[in-house]
Amino acid sequence: AKVAGKNCYRFYSRAMDQAVERRVHLEHELRGAWDRGELSLVYQPVYRLADGAMVGAEALLRWKHPEQGLIAPSVFIDVAEQSGLIETLGPQVLRAACEDAMAWQKARPDAEPLFVSVNVSPRQLRSGDLPKTVADCLHDTGLAPHYLHLELTETAVIGDEIHASNLLARLRASGVKVWLDDFGTGFSGLSHLRRVPVDGVKIDRSFIADVLRDPDDLALTTAIIAMAHSLGITVVAEGVEKEGQYAVLRERGCDLAQGYWLGHPVNAQEFRALLIS
Ligand code: C2E
Ligand code: CA
Ligand code: CA
Ligand code: CA
């Protein structure tokens, strides 16, 4: 048993070393990935429930690794965040998204412009450079501020709420919209809304997944919508995979929705084709 235990320990420690090694390796490769053209944005359409119109799109980052193929953002965003790489990657993503949003406007000059929604990581928010980065991107691309939405998770605002709320207030004063992402998953979502100024919340897809089966999830979703509206803020539902979910959200007065049933994330070229069709 003692020998087995020892082997076990060795096994785990080797597995841990390998995990650390893989991370370090990934970080090294991620460093040049943008310049090598391996990183790109895909866009998932966002619809207004009242009339079914497409009103915007969320930018989601993809990494096509030359050997490993597509790597999930849940893996590499974390690496970028921990290593500090996100501080270069974040502004690159923001700029590309603003450029693409301007191209959509040029493709449909007579239509109401679509907003582009960009995910901002906790570290980007903490660094304090965000208002300047955003202002530079808007200035250089010519995108009007209210067509840029920033999505932050609750974890980004935890800790230094005063710093976060000052920063968000500055961004919002410039016209940029701020969304609280994955809303409802943290324990203190409601108290954040009291202190952190946002334009809207995105109901986490775990609530939407069970909204037709689980009365509790339906009750919570309905309550989030009512609460957001009483605070004068907008509600987006994410992860809408079925027509029934769409119907129930619409009936409960949810403002916007996105999900596989409405549209998968597609690359910039496919998204433009979708716009013109
Ligand atoms: P998120 O911000 O919650 O993004 C929504 C995720 O749900 C996306 O996964 C999207 O592809 C997926 N999704 C959309 N519709 C459905 C649906 O109907 N059903 C299901 N099951 N999933 C759906 P993705 O693209 O893998 O992104 C994962 C996370 O990585 C994002 O979660 C976001 O937190 C992060 N991320 C992605 N791009 C960026 C980025 O440019 N910057 C930062 N900081 N984070 C990013
Ligand atoms: Ca998001
Ligand atoms: Ca989310
Ligand atoms: Ca449930």
Side-chain angles (χ1 to χ4, degrees):
K2 211 174 173 186
V3 174
K6 214 170 172 182
N7 285 342
C8 251
Y9 170 74
R10 255 195 222 135
F11 172 77
Y12 282 124
S13 106
R14 200 184 302 135
M16 267 163 63
D17 285 349
Q18 280 169 352
V20 169
E21 219 170 87
R22 179 160 190 266
R23 241 187 127 76
V24 170
H25 191 63
L26 215 55
E27 181 192 323
H28 176 75
E29 293 181 312
L30 189 55
R31 208 166 280 279
W34 183 275
D35 292 333
R36 287 193 301 272
E38 294 166 12
L39 290 163
S40 64
L41 290 174
V42 290
Y43 293 97
Q44 183 172 38
V46 178
Y47 292 86
R48 184 166 53 211
L49 290 167
D51 62 357
M54 193 205 289
V55 289
E58 178 176 7
L60 296 160
L61 196 56
R62 294 288 177 267
W63 183 11
K64 202 163 179 208
H65 189 280
E67 289 119 40
Q68 296 174 46
L70 271 182
I71 302 181
S74 55
V75 176
F76 72 81
I77 290 289
D78 195 45
V79 171
E81 176 80 10
Q82 301 294 327
S83 63
L85 262 176
I86 198 75
E87 285 176 47
T88 28
L89 206 50
Q92 287 166 324
V93 164
L94 195 64
R95 183 166 293 262
C98 291
E99 281 168 359
D100 286 337
M102 273 311 279
W104 305 338
Q105 292 189 16
K106 289 186 182 125
R108 297 194 315 171
D110 300 325
E112 166 65 15
L114 300 178
F115 66 76
V116 69
S117 201
V118 179
N119 292 287
V120 170
S121 79
R123 190 158 178 160
Q124 281 176 275
L125 189 68
R126 275 199 307 272
S127 87
D129 295 338
L130 195 62
K132 166 122 176 54
T133 306
V134 166
D136 288 349
C137 281
L138 294 173
H139 175 266
D140 296 348
T141 60
L143 186 72
H146 52 280
Y147 297 123
L148 176 64
H149 295 190
L150 301 178
E151 298 190 4
L152 311 157
T153 55
E154 283 177 60
T155 45
V157 297
I158 285 171
D160 201 347
E161 286 186 350
I162 298 188
H163 169 75
S165 57
N166 285 339
L167 213 134
L168 298 183
R170 272 166 69 197
L171 284 163
R172 290 183 72 217
S174 77
V176 170
K177 299 211 187 304
V178 175
W179 293 87
L180 215 46
D181 204 353
D182 303 341
F183 188 76
T185 52
F187 287 109
S188 46
L190 287 178
S191 66
H192 282 137
L193 285 183
R194 255 174 48 215
R195 285 179 293 235
V196 181
V198 295
D199 296 280
V201 294
K202 296 188 82 165
I203 307 178
D204 191 68
R205 67 168 184 265
S206 59
F207 290 98
I208 309 304
D210 276 350
V211 88
L212 298 176
R213 272 191 305 255
D214 185 337
D216 291 343
D217 285 343
L218 179 59
L220 284 166
T221 300
T222 307
I224 292 172
I225 295 168
M227 178 213 58
H229 286 169
S230 69
L231 292 171
I233 65 179
T234 308
V235 194
V236 189
E238 60 176 24
V240 176
E241 295 181 351
K242 297 186 186 87
E243 187 171 9
Q245 295 166 337
Y246 180 87
V248 94
L249 288 162
R250 192 181 150 146
E251 174 208 293
R252 305 284 155 142
C254 182
D255 303 293
L256 308 177
Q258 64 188 96
Y260 296 157
W261 186 72
L262 292 156
H264 283 259
V266 294
N267 69 35
Q269 200 183 331
E270 290 166 317
F271 191 76
R272 272 186 74 156
L274 188 75
L275 277 185
I276 305 164
S277 70

